[in-house]
Amino acid sequence: MKSGSNLEKVLEAGHFAFTGELGPPRGTNAEEVRKKAQFLKGNVDSVNITDNQTAVVRMSSWAASLILISEGLEPNFQMVCRDRNRLAMQSDILGAYAHGIKNMLCLSGDHQKFGDHPQGLGVFDIDSMQLINMVKEMRDEGKFLGGADIEDPPKIFIGAASNPFAEPVDFRVHRLAKKIAAGADFIQTQCIYNMDRFRIFMKQAVDMGLTEKCYILAGVTPMKSVGMARYMANSVPGMDVPDSLIKRLKDAGKGKIAEEGIKFALEQIEEFKEMEGVAGVHLMAIEWEHKVPEIAERAGVLPRPTF
Amino acid sequence: MIVAKRKPFEEIKEMLKGYKKVLNVGCGTCVAVCLAGGEKEVDVLNIELDMAGKLDENPIELGAMTIERQCDREYLEALDPLVDDYDAILSMACGAGIQFLAERYPHKPIFPAVDTTFIGVNQGVGWYEERCRSCGSCVLGLTGGICPVTMCAKGLYNGPCGGTNKGSCEIDKDQPCAWYLIYERLSRQGRLDNILKFSPATDWQNQIPRTLIQPGYKKSEEV
Amino acid sequence: MYLLRAIQKGADGVYVVGCLEGTCHYNEGNFRASERVKHVQMLLEEVGLEGDRVRMYNLSSGEGPTFAAYAKEMTEHIRKLGPNRLNK
């Protein structure tokens, strides 16, 4: 065991993992975090806590992670390279681990231009690849990036993101390989809608032996409306939403579109359970946390294993 | 070259408020080439200041002098006999030139007439693009001659991120993704191996003011 | 620059005449000139003068009457604007 986190135990034991996501509030309301957490409790193995997602200021990721721990859930602490330099990153990692945080997801972060402080300085002292490697060196070698020894190194289960769909598509599996070589223990992918492309990507990953070195969780976000599908297709960089899916949602007819979106997500989950190399699903139900119990139930992933 | 942009007229006017006699010093190298602070731009600005001063019934007496380079003592010297005749100096050089000028005449108020913008290239008359951030540890050999520090909005060393948008950067459809270009170029050159390797964290060289003495040019007493 | 200087020296108006668009012997010469005239208009506005004291007209070398018409139009226009305030 690298970290002994619940997520690591689930994956290590060979269970099909099921993780969720929670966005901290744009204010100080801890109750809101607790409320959202209740929808996820018992239904997922670990909950990603986003770090100033879309470059909008929110309650800090580690702080919201602590609220989750106090509610009896396991957080997956997300950290982006946009907002901190290497000193702040390492000290936050030490502090987070001291408070019981055992999973991390290492990301570059959306550019600040998208958020509520477009005038801000983007730090990007190190990039996501270097962050992954830094956490690994901290854990396995007990060394800070600067080379000094760490007393009682943090034992973090290291996560990274992968987008199988963004251009140049041919390079994506190689970048995945790079992240694994840098130290990623598990991968959570971008939301998947183009299943054909994802099958190719997974086959490449399996053929390269990557799935033996790392757990890959497939990203799923149910579509709530045709508008959301169109927005994702046209306005979210690096997102691949096939026209056939938009048509399918449209054809479902008024009042039934959200249900059709969930049905598509459930079909995806069924396929992922059987797909070679896929170790689980990461469910990103954006501002739809209350639907998670229903989706988990219908996906047949309950009850979640306990250790 | 170093590319600069003339400051808005209002800002320059505001800085010069209260000064009656101002020497406007142009620079004949980078900022002249990029049409921001050479002889012609000095004349245009002076005409503007002159007209505005007359309209406001608050005339300024203006001098003009463009020297080859303000970042070089050898050329600054030509200003020595002029400076004391003026209350203030306006400089149209880049930030480096302006500071060297200010250092030479520490008793004179010095004002910048341009904003130094970037190190860039000439894409056409009056059209410039940034190419270098002078990070101090060049990786162009690995990246096919395309700078990820400058051209990637996140300055990634291990790109491309997941935000590439059909070859564009996530910040703007008109901004090409640096790492997409790097990938394409290295792929055509058969050198993709370069970016399959992990690039470790950069040792930033531009966090403190830098001094450089080229080998063989140390002053004898320092040897 | 010459345009600016003319106004500085007290001209009430200046107009630039270039070839018809697309027929310039120097290919882009007239387009560039028109951009420069726009720039000078902006500079005059910044200073506090009327940018419209400077204008650009396009015609071919065989258009005597049009030239005269433009000249008349410009004169009328500048009359309306009144004298250059730098001439007080």
Side-chain angles (χ1 to χ4, degrees):
Chain A
M1 282 278 153
K2 289 165 172 164
S3 70
S5 77
N6 184 60
L7 179 60
E8 185 180 7
K9 284 177 189 160
V10 169
L11 289 165
E12 189 83 15
H15 297 288
F16 190 75
F18 197 65
T19 57
E21 188 154 311
L22 187 155
R26 300 203 64 200
T28 57
N29 192 347
E31 207 43 52
E32 196 183 318
V33 181
R34 290 194 188 99
K35 226 163 101 190
K36 283 182 176 176
Q38 286 317 308
F39 295 120
L40 297 160
K41 194 170 181 179
N43 297 316
V44 294
D45 302 317
S46 170
V47 181
N48 286 39
I49 308 295
T50 54
D51 183 13
N52 291 340
Q53 73 206 65
T54 61
V56 169
V57 175
R58 292 167 181 275
M59 181 188 291
S60 64
S61 175
W62 64 260
S65 292
L66 296 192
I67 299 175
L68 239 73
I69 291 177
S70 72
E71 290 297 298
L73 286 89
E74 180 172 280
N76 180 8
F77 170 38
Q78 294 195 185
M79 183 182 274
V80 299
C81 299
R82 179 193 60 231
D83 305 334
R84 305 168 176 80
N85 72 359
R86 56 188 81 180
L87 280 83
M89 285 174 151
Q90 292 176 98
S91 67
D92 275 356
I93 292 165
L94 297 181
Y97 183 74
H99 280 284
I101 292 170
K102 292 177 181 165
N103 306 306
M104 263 185 77
L105 187 74
C106 305
L107 304 164
S108 300
D110 294 323
H111 196 272
Q112 62 275 12
K113 187 175 175 255
F114 293 107
D116 59 350
H117 291 76
Q119 339 54 0
L121 173 71
V123 179
F124 300 109
D125 176 12
I126 60 175
D127 64 21
S128 59
M129 198 77 67
Q130 295 159 347
L131 172 57
I132 293 164
N133 196 247
M134 182 172 82
V135 183
K136 182 181 162 65
E137 295 288 309
M138 289 173 80
R139 181 189 69 197
D140 296 347
E141 310 298 325
K143 298 265 190 213
F144 288 114
L145 186 56
D149 291 333
I150 306 174
E151 298 166 37
D152 308 310
K155 300 295 181 194
I156 300 278
F157 195 45
I158 305 168
S162 174
N163 184 347
F165 309 104
E167 297 283 348
V169 166
D170 292 339
F171 189 65
R172 288 298 156 181
V173 76
H174 296 289
R175 190 153 190 266
L176 170 67
K178 241 174 124 166
K179 285 194 173 176
I180 295 168
D185 302 310
F186 69 100
I187 297 288
Q188 291 173 319
T189 75
Q190 171 69 289
C191 317
I192 299 159
Y193 297 106
N194 184 341
M195 292 296 280
D196 291 339
R197 171 67 208 142
F198 187 68
R199 285 180 202 113
I200 296 170
F201 177 80
M202 280 312 301
K203 177 150 188 342
Q204 290 172 319
V206 170
D207 289 347
M208 285 171 67
L210 301 178
T211 53
E212 286 156 32
K213 299 177 195 155
C214 182
Y215 301 105
I216 297 183
L217 310 191
V220 172
T221 293
M223 291 287 194
K224 285 194 247 186
S225 64
V226 176
M228 172 179 170
R230 285 218 180 95
Y231 177 77
M232 290 248 204
N234 301 324
S235 306
V236 181
M239 196 71 83
D240 183 352
V241 183
D243 292 339
S244 59
L245 175 59
I246 297 177
K247 185 170 182 301
R248 176 174 162 179
L249 293 170
K250 235 183 335 191
D251 291 348
K254 230 180 169 180
K256 291 178 188 150
I257 293 168
E259 172 56 23
E260 196 61 32
I262 290 177
K263 267 191 195 152
F264 178 73
L266 294 172
E267 290 165 22
Q268 286 183 299
I269 295 170
E270 278 315 303
E271 184 172 344
F272 293 143
K273 283 183 190 167
E274 304 302 324
M275 198 182 286
E276 193 180 355
V278 175
V281 159
H282 177 49
L283 180 69
M284 293 164 272
I286 304 163
E287 291 306 315
W288 229 20
E289 288 84 356
H290 63 277
K291 283 280 185 187
V292 171
E294 180 197 328
I295 296 170
E297 177 67 45
R298 289 171 66 186
V301 295
L302 297 182
R304 297 310 308 155
T306 47
F307 298 91
Chain B
M1 82 185 124
I2 295 172
V3 178
K5 188 177 170 218
R6 224 234 13 227
K7 278 185 177 288
F9 185 69
E10 274 307 309
E11 191 183 337
I12 297 173
K13 211 170 105 177
E14 189 59 33
M15 283 190 292
L16 295 181
K17 219 177 208 167
Y19 295 102
K20 294 285 172 211
K21 233 185 139 183
V22 175
L23 177 63
N24 188 353
V25 185
C27 185
T29 307
C30 308
V31 292
V33 177
C34 71
L35 307 175
E39 194 169 7
K40 192 180 90 184
E41 290 75 29
V42 167
D43 283 346
V44 168
L45 177 56
N46 277 5
I47 293 174
E48 279 189 87
L49 286 167
D50 176 58
M51 292 194 291
K54 281 182 187 147
L55 288 174
D56 298 346
E57 293 179 4
N58 190 11
I60 312 183
E61 196 181 318
L62 293 150
M65 175 86 170
T66 297
I67 59 174
E68 188 64 27
R69 278 199 292 282
Q70 292 188 26
C71 57
D72 209 323
R73 273 201 195 93
E74 186 188 332
Y75 300 109
L76 281 176
E77 208 177 344
L79 298 169
D80 292 354
L82 296 175
V83 164
D84 281 334
D85 291 342
Y86 294 89
D87 307 331
I89 305 179
L90 190 60
S91 168
M92 299 197 79
C94 71
I98 298 169
Q99 291 186 58
F100 216 34
L101 183 70
E103 194 178 312
R104 191 170 181 92
Y105 309 111
H107 54 292
K108 284 285 165 203
I110 307 270
F111 299 103
V114 302
D115 290 315
T116 307
T117 316
F118 51 73
I119 301 177
V121 296
N122 202 336
Q123 279 285 23
V125 183
W127 170 19
Y128 312 97
E129 278 177 5
E130 184 171 19
R131 283 293 187 272
C132 176
R133 291 267 165 97
S134 62
C135 72
S137 33
C138 193
V139 293
L140 288 171
L142 284 175
T143 57
I146 298 166
C147 175
V149 179
T150 311
M151 305 295 288
C152 169
K154 299 177 187 172
L156 303 181
Y157 282 84
N158 293 280
C161 73
T164 58
N165 197 0
K166 300 174 188 80
S168 297
C169 175
E170 66 179 26
I171 62 160
D172 192 341
K173 278 198 178 71
D174 296 327
Q175 176 65 44
C177 166
W179 277 98
Y180 184 78
L181 298 176
I182 292 169
Y183 172 82
E184 292 278 297
R185 189 173 292 170
L186 289 177
S187 162
R188 269 196 296 271
Q189 295 180 355
R191 296 167 68 212
L192 274 179
D193 274 4
N194 278 4
I195 56 169
L196 294 178
K197 282 178 295 207
F198 170 70
S199 246
T202 316
D203 180 3
W204 293 106
Q205 302 288 323
N206 56 358
Q207 301 300 297
I208 50 165
R210 290 170 280 181
T211 298
L212 170 71
I213 299 169
Q214 298 291 17
Y217 286 86
K218 262 188 191 168
K219 287 256 175 66
S220 52
E221 63 264 31
E222 291 165 8
V223 173
Chain C
M1 170 87 181
Y2 293 110
L3 298 178
L4 263 188
R5 190 151 277 160
I7 301 286
Q8 181 194 25
K9 300 275 185 230
D12 293 322
V14 185
Y15 69 108
V16 177
V17 180
C19 314
L20 287 177
E21 299 194 349
T23 65
C24 178
H25 176 66
Y26 298 100
N27 300 323
E28 291 181 351
N30 51 354
F31 291 108
R32 285 195 191 166
S34 128
E35 280 302 310
R36 305 287 195 279
V37 170
K38 274 187 227 156
H39 179 62
V40 170
Q41 289 173 337
M42 201 247 338
L43 293 178
L44 289 175
E45 294 284 344
E46 272 183 352
V47 165
L49 288 168
E50 303 84 354
D52 218 16
R53 285 188 186 278
V54 176
R55 277 190 175 180
M56 168 102 184
Y57 290 102
N58 297 80
L59 46 78
S60 82
S61 54
E63 295 181 286
T66 323
F67 181 77
Y70 283 155
K72 211 177 244 168
E73 180 186 308
M74 185 71 185
T75 314
E76 280 307 305
H77 165 67
I78 296 295
R79 275 225 174 88
K80 260 184 236 154
L81 283 180
N84 181 345
R85 283 184 292 130
L86 287 169
N87 283 337
K88 268 186 285 184

